[in-house]
Amino acid sequence: MDAGLIAFIAGMIGLLVGVLSMNAVARSERERERSLVSAPTLRDGAAQVLAVIGRAYLVIDEVGGVVQASPGAYAMGLVRGHTVTSPELADMIRTVRHRGIFAEQSFEIDRGEGEALVLDVRVASLGDEYILVLADDRTEISRVQRMRNDFVANVSHELKTPVGAVSLLAEAIEQASDDPEAIEYFVGRLHKETRRLSALVRDIIELSRLQSTDVIARGGPVSVPTLVADAMDRSHLAAEEKDIQVSSRIEDAPEVYGDAELLGMAVQNLVENAIRYSPEHTKVDILVHRVADQLLIEVSDQGVGIPEDEQKRIFERFYRVDPARSRQTGGTGLGLSIVKHVMTQHGGSVTVRSMPQEGSTFTLALPLTEAPEAPLTV
């Protein structure tokens, strides 16, 4: 082959290789530029500021992608991968970007099984490119607020009934001044309503006091047999009126650590409830025994029992299985709620076993732990 031809072919091959190499370099540069656009970085110091801001946050770029997000934002379900998942939040981001305004809104995110996350979200521009989202979890605050509102509404309703009855009875007594039998009847009703009103006010005060009681500071060794004996003594007259026999059996009763007054209130409430909702000529049994590292106090009655679908709610404030019967027997609807609060403060629990027409057994479970050591003084 002619030497000139060979040189020409070699030159053409070299030229082709050069062109291909340049194209590869250019393509690589374009890919690098595209990667920088799809994964932008924040200015120096911005990430550090966001990390210590104390809230869940997201940073959104010009095309709606998530540049950076805190673990809290992922946990709240606001973002998945690099995408905002909440339609409400996406609308807020678009509004802020188009109008250049600051936006704040509260909304809920469904977590399934009837649970919702309540969020307080603020959205604002972060420079010319980014949108900053700050989110606060307000679920617990909202729950407490709803409970407070419900409590106030329930208290108002519960107080209105006996107060109204007292007013009507006083008017009836005034009008029946010349009828001794009518006066005697209305006075009896008046005494019943005032006792109910006094019990309701007492339970409201006790429930309020429980919120601020420091069991650790006020606590000490408590004798459970003494608590049981006191509860039986205080309930003696109520049991005698209905010919109900109240008995106790103490199998094992080491001392527990706690507030004797509050624990006594819890035991007494259970004994009073058992007597109040039991038919005449029946029995109420109290059993104290130890199971592993817990001391159990069981109060059993032979009453009408509690349906299974009602048992989860009986510890709620003002909840009654039978409102009419509860008012007739003088129940305030707060006794079991007080018991639950006392047990929670002592690290224990209260449970119920019951079948309709077969009675109920309420169990207080208290941990058997040593008293906390006193702080050292120097």
Side-chain angles (χ1 to χ4, degrees), residues 55 105 107 124 126 249 286 288 294 301 309:
R55 299 178 183 177
Q105 181 180 333
F107 55 82
L126 184 64
R249 187 168 87 252
I286 307 171
V288 179
Q294 290 185 318
D301 61 53
D309 58 347

Side-chain angles (χ1 to χ4, degrees), residues 22-43:
M22 292 176 62
N23 287 339
V25 171
R27 186 166 57 253
S28 176
E29 184 65 22
R30 287 194 299 271
E31 291 292 338
R32 189 179 72 83
E33 290 176 355
R34 277 200 297 269
S35 67
L36 290 175
V37 171
S38 61
T41 57
L42 298 178
R43 295 177 180 176

Side-chain angles (χ1 to χ4, degrees), residues 265-283:
M265 185 195 310
V267 175
Q268 184 179 347
N269 278 353
L270 290 188
V271 175
E272 288 180 349
N273 263 15
I275 295 172
R276 181 179 296 120
Y277 295 106
S278 292
E280 296 180 348
H281 318 300
T282 56
K283 295 173 57 179

Side-chain angles (χ1 to χ4, degrees), residues 77-344:
L78 293 175
V79 59
R80 185 177 297 113
H82 294 284
T83 304
V84 173
T85 58
S86 167
E88 295 90 346
L89 179 55
D91 289 340
M92 291 179 67
I93 293 170
R94 283 192 291 268
T95 300
V96 171
R97 186 174 299 283
H98 292 157
R99 300 183 182 179
I101 60 174
F102 170 84
E104 182 174 7
Q105 181 180 333
S106 295
F107 55 82
E108 296 184 359
I109 294 181
D110 185 13
R111 305 300 294 270
E113 299 182 358
E115 294 184 3
L117 198 65
V118 181
L119 300 179
D120 183 20
V121 179
R122 301 179 180 183
V123 181
S125 298
L126 184 64
D128 298 330
E129 301 178 58
Y130 303 120
I131 297 293
L132 173 64
V133 177
L134 299 178
D136 280 333
D137 185 351
R138 313 286 289 184
T139 306
E140 184 63 19
I141 295 175
S142 298
R143 186 186 69 83
V144 172
Q145 185 63 46
R146 283 196 300 270
M147 287 179 59
R148 183 182 293 112
N149 293 340
D150 290 343
F151 181 69
V152 171
N154 286 329
V155 166
S156 302
H157 175 74
E158 294 293 334
L159 287 174
K160 182 172 64 176
T161 302
V163 168
V166 167
S167 177
L168 290 173
L169 288 168
E171 184 179 340
I173 291 173
E174 183 181 17
Q175 293 177 354
S177 57
D178 57 347
D179 188 345
E181 291 185 2
I183 290 178
E184 183 179 358
Y185 170 76
F186 289 133
V187 167
R189 289 289 306 275
L190 185 62
H191 282 309
K192 181 178 180 180
E193 291 298 333
T194 53
R195 285 195 299 269
R196 179 184 167 196
L197 184 59
S198 297
L200 181 58
V201 172
R202 179 202 65 200
D203 283 352
I204 292 172
I205 292 173
E206 292 295 345
L207 193 57
S208 176
R209 188 167 65 89
L210 280 173
Q211 310 297 328
S212 57
T213 299
D214 187 345
V215 171
I216 299 299
R218 290 183 44 175
V222 178
S223 168
V224 172
T226 301
L227 299 182
V228 172
D230 289 344
M232 293 174 63
D233 184 60
R234 294 175 183 175
S235 305
H236 175 71
L237 290 178
E240 195 174 61
E241 287 178 1
K242 299 178 68 174
D243 189 25
I244 292 176
Q245 180 184 350
V246 182
S247 62
S248 65
R249 187 168 87 252
I250 312 294
E251 293 185 354
D252 189 9
E255 290 183 333
V256 297
Y257 184 87
D259 186 306
E261 181 183 356
L262 296 183
L263 290 175
M265 185 195 310
V267 175
Q268 184 179 347
N269 278 353
L270 290 188
V271 175
E272 288 180 349
N273 263 15
I275 295 172
R276 181 179 296 120
Y277 295 106
S278 292
E280 296 180 348
H281 318 300
T282 56
K283 295 173 57 179
V284 171
D285 296 317
I286 307 171
L287 170 63
V288 179
H289 61 113
R290 179 175 183 167
V291 175
D293 60 348
Q294 290 185 318
L295 188 65
L296 305 185
I297 307 170
E298 299 183 1
V299 180
S300 303
D301 61 53
Q302 297 176 326
V304 296
I306 304 169
E308 184 176 358
D309 58 347
E310 303 278 359
Q311 293 177 18
K312 292 182 179 180
R313 299 197 59 191
I314 59 175
F315 298 102
E316 297 177 10
R317 298 172 181 176
F318 295 111
Y319 184 80
R320 299 179 176 92
V321 176
D322 186 347
R325 187 165 186 268
S326 180
R327 290 192 175 94
Q328 183 180 1
T329 57
T332 64
L334 289 174
L336 291 179
S337 180
I338 289 175
V339 172
K340 182 179 179 180
H341 274 279
V342 172
M343 288 298 101
T344 300

Side-chain angles (χ1 to χ4, degrees), residues 342-358:
V342 172
M343 288 298 101
T344 300
Q345 288 185 315
H346 285 78
S349 63
V350 55
T351 55
V352 60
R353 302 190 312 274
S354 183
M355 292 286 291
Q357 309 308 320
E358 295 185 13

